[in-house]
């Protein structure tokens, strides 16, 4: 991915549908920074009940491929960074650049596969992954539809090179923000609404959907609206 490092990504393919598959690149919650075993996380991601949502199983069951990159500092690639909160250090700046490169390298890989529809790749980010949704799609234009769950602008400052507000206006892909109205991590007025407003996606292709919850979205609403969004902008899967 950079330097002499190599990265791993796990690709989950759907059953009962003919390729080429649509694909969704996943960016996980911040717990990935503190966990050292991807296998342990996978058991929860693929389970019926999952903190902050319902994991990634529903995306695979919808007929889409899901790519789960092992981003810098997560799981077996742990390097001592344990928090996703921004700061003004060069260390945080460098990590954001590396996370962005990991995402783009993942798209590079998807484009090498004949069983993936390279022009129909989406992005699904939850919490930490949703905050990165204001940066990664600004520099990775091959992501054609975005779903950002319980994210927003951080209240902490970052170096200008990796500050969300400097990238959000350059995000042009269709984007759905799913948020809890009473989120205590990313408050509606000071975090969610500013991020939604600054996203550069045309007004007709972006939506901010609120539910009466905190830093989570009930499973039924999350599944329904996520799949409807990907169906609309990536196309139906036939399943």
């Amino acid at each position: 991915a950079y330097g002499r490092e190599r990265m791993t990504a796990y690709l989950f393919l759907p059953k009962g549908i003919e390729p080429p598959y649509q694909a969704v690149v996943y960016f996980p919650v911040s717990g990935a920074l503190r966990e050292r075993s991807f296998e342990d996380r996978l058991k929860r991601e693929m389970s019926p009940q999952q903190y902050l949502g319902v994991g990634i199983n529903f995306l695979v069951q919808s007929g889409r491929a899901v790519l789960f990159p092992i981003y810098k500092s997560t799981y077996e690639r742990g390097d001592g960074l344990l928090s996703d909160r921004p700061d003004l250090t060069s260390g945080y700046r460098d990590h954001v650049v590396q996370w962005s490169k990991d995402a783009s390298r993942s798209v590079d890989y998807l484009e090498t596969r004949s069983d993936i529809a390279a022009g129909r790749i989406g992005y699904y980010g939850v919490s930490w992954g949703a905050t990165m949704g204001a940066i990664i799609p600004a520099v990775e234009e091959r992501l054609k539809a975005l779903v950002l769950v319980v994210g927003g602008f951080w209240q902490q400052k970052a170096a200008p090179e990796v500050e969300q507000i400097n990238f959000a206006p350059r995000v042009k892909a269709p984007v759905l923000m799913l948020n809890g109205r009473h989120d205590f991590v990313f408050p509606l007025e000071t975090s969610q609404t500013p991020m939604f407003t600054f996203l550069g996606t045309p007004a007709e292709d972006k939506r901010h959907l609120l539910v009466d919850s905190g830093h989570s979205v009930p499973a039924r609403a999350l599944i329904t609206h996520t799949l409807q969004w990907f169906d609309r902008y990536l196309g139906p899967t036939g399943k």
Side-chain angles (χ1 to χ4, degrees):
Y2 28 75
R4 293 183 177 272
E5 292 191 46
R6 295 184 65 83
M7 62 173 291
T8 300
Y10 292 85
L11 180 63
F12 301 91
L13 300 177
K15 295 180 179 179
I17 186 170
E18 293 296 319
Y21 311 113
Q22 297 177 26
V24 176
V25 177
Y26 180 51
F27 203 114
V29 301
S30 61
L33 292 167
R34 297 180 290 277
E35 297 177 4
R36 298 283 73 91
S37 170
F38 176 76
E39 292 295 330
D40 289 345
R41 165 56 64 177
L42 181 59
K43 294 174 184 177
R44 294 191 289 276
E45 291 289 345
M46 302 299 275
S47 69
Q49 301 297 326
Q50 161 69 343
Y51 173 61
L52 294 182
V54 289
I56 59 173
N57 203 27
F58 79 99
L59 290 169
V60 182
Q61 290 177 340
S62 76
R64 295 176 172 88
V66 176
L67 190 71
F68 195 137
I70 305 302
Y71 296 92
K72 180 72 169 177
S73 309
T74 68
Y75 308 114
E76 287 79 7
R77 295 186 71 201
D79 61 358
L81 181 70
L82 300 177
S83 174
D84 58 338
R85 299 294 175 106
D87 58 44
L88 293 169
T89 66
S90 59
Y92 178 78
R93 177 201 64 201
D94 293 347
H95 275 87
V96 174
V97 172
Q98 289 167 329
W99 297 328
S100 178
K101 288 183 176 181
D102 288 341
S104 288
R105 196 73 179 115
S106 298
V107 177
D108 290 344
Y109 169 70
L110 289 173
E111 289 190 330
T112 69
R113 295 183 61 106
S114 61
D115 57 350
I116 298 296
R120 294 192 291 169
I121 298 175
Y123 176 93
Y124 179 70
V126 181
S127 192
W128 176 35
T131 69
M132 292 301 297
I135 296 177
I136 289 174
V139 296
E140 183 43 80
E141 297 180 354
R142 292 173 293 179
L143 299 171
K144 301 302 183 184
L146 320 172
V147 176
L148 311 180
V149 182
V150 294
F153 276 164
W154 284 111
Q155 307 298 290
Q156 296 83 6
K157 291 183 178 181
E161 307 95 287
V162 293
E163 179 62 70
Q164 289 170 290
I165 201 169
N166 293 333
F167 288 83
R170 294 172 170 79
V171 174
K172 304 298 183 182
V175 56
L176 170 66
M177 284 182 60
L178 282 169
N179 287 95
R181 191 183 307 275
H182 312 293
D183 194 330
F184 52 90
V185 179
F186 300 108
L188 174 59
E189 293 83 3
T190 58
S191 176
Q192 300 174 29
T193 299
M195 177 167 154
F196 181 76
T197 300
F198 271 87
L199 289 169
T201 304
E204 62 271 20
D205 293 321
K206 66 177 181 177
R207 183 183 182 192
H208 187 196
L209 194 152
L210 293 169
V211 296
D212 287 324
S213 63
H215 191 57
S216 64
V217 175
R220 184 182 296 274
L222 187 150
I223 293 172
T224 298
H225 293 292
T226 296
L227 296 185
Q228 286 178 349
W229 196 259
F230 284 141
D231 283 349
R232 177 178 178 182
Y233 287 102
L234 298 182
T237 63
K239 180 170 179 154

